[in-house]
Amino acid sequence: CSSDLKVRKNMKAAVFHEYEGPVEIAEVAKPELQDSSVLVEVYAASLNPIDNILRAGYLRQMLELTFPHVKGYDVSGTVVEIGKNVKSVKIGDEVFARPNQMDAGSVAEFARIQEDELAIKPSNMTHEQAASVPLAGLTAWQALVTKGKIKKDSKVLIHAGSGGVGTLAIQIAKHFGAFVATTTSGKNAGLVKELGADLIINYTTQNFEDELSDYDLVIDTIGGETLARSFKVLKKGGTMVSVKSQDNDNLAEKYGVHFEWFFMSPDGKMLSELAKLISQGTVKTVIDSIFRMNQAAEAFDRLATGRAKGKIVIAVK
């Protein structure tokens, strides 16, 4: 089978041809293998808010796209070719990853992944489940562990607990022994409770800053006014980690807290740590919906509502 795949120069992929353009299925060139990479036959991919943010052109100053642009930052599939310097995986291995910016484009029949960015897919996970984890899981892990220095008994507020990052962050924080508060709408209260949240704030009827105080850590996935209000719940010396906004109007100084803003970075070792927790059942995936590749445009419409519970997945194969 892999010799047939090598001969193929093109592949089908979900693309858009201009900023704000529609998502379509088109034939594009298959990625070329590099010495430190593998080529994966994609079984599933998943969507993240960044996909629509890039498509709208909001990050053009930082990240100019080339067209046609292939969508997707999460991938799960089977290794079909390996570069000559690759040591840790072989053809036929099932892997999952968040590819870097140059290799992104996973809503496609094939994807290129650098060896240090991939992890072996746990055998008790489907490809759809595995594809739902990398970007959101690494964001949650890096926010809580790398930047937030979470400890046992830390008091943590996680915003948007029913979202892609939130559902995983609640479980990771509980694994480290933290007390977790989260914001969500009333209809998702049951879900976040099941994931382990200790205190649930219904943002449609409650102001979280009136309910919470003396928190060690806040994970902000919303930005704007939510970020500004969140400083009030931190104790002196606490930490605010935002994945949304780097601008905090000197509020960190005013409240005497640490402020961290970051873009998550792909990391195969970290993903393997997360895979261990998932295969043990400590962390479970939450999937909002699964679309086929020919329904990619509908999947992006679902993403645009901002109402997904957990992740939107595209089954490619």
Side-chain angles (χ1 to χ4, degrees), residues 244-281:
K244 234 1 189 231
S245 176
Q246 61 193 85
D247 188 14
N248 72 78
D249 295 328
N250 296 328
L251 287 170
E253 221 169 293
K254 178 184 166 186
Y255 285 98
V257 301
H258 306 290
F259 179 76
E260 293 266 1
W261 171 81
F262 78 107
F263 260 153
M264 63 72 57
S265 42
D267 189 319
K269 281 199 180 70
M270 211 176 267
L271 197 52
S272 296
E273 290 281 306
L274 203 46
K276 215 176 294 171
L277 295 184
I278 293 167
S279 55
Q280 291 162 0

Side-chain angles (χ1 to χ4, degrees), residues 139-150 157 159 216-223 227-228 230-231 234 237-253 256-265:
T139 300
W141 189 279
Q142 289 166 19
L144 289 162
V145 184
T146 316
K147 302 290 183 185
K149 312 265 190 293
I150 194 169
L157 167 61
H159 280 299
D216 299 290
L217 177 60
V218 175
I219 305 299
D220 165 55
T221 56
I222 300 171
L227 171 63
S230 296
F231 282 94
L234 283 167
T239 302
M240 169 77 69
V241 179
S242 181
V243 297
K244 234 1 189 231
S245 176
Q246 61 193 85
D247 188 14
N248 72 78
D249 295 328
N250 296 328
L251 287 170
E253 221 169 293
V257 301
H258 306 290
F259 179 76
E260 293 266 1
W261 171 81
F262 78 107
F263 260 153
M264 63 72 57
S265 42

Side-chain angles (χ1 to χ4, degrees), residues 281-301:
T282 307
V283 171
K284 59 180 195 220
T285 57
V286 179
I287 291 178
D288 174 83
S289 43
I290 299 176
F291 294 83
R292 304 295 313 173
M293 185 148 83
N294 61 6
Q295 301 170 304
E298 292 160 56
F300 280 95
D301 289 346

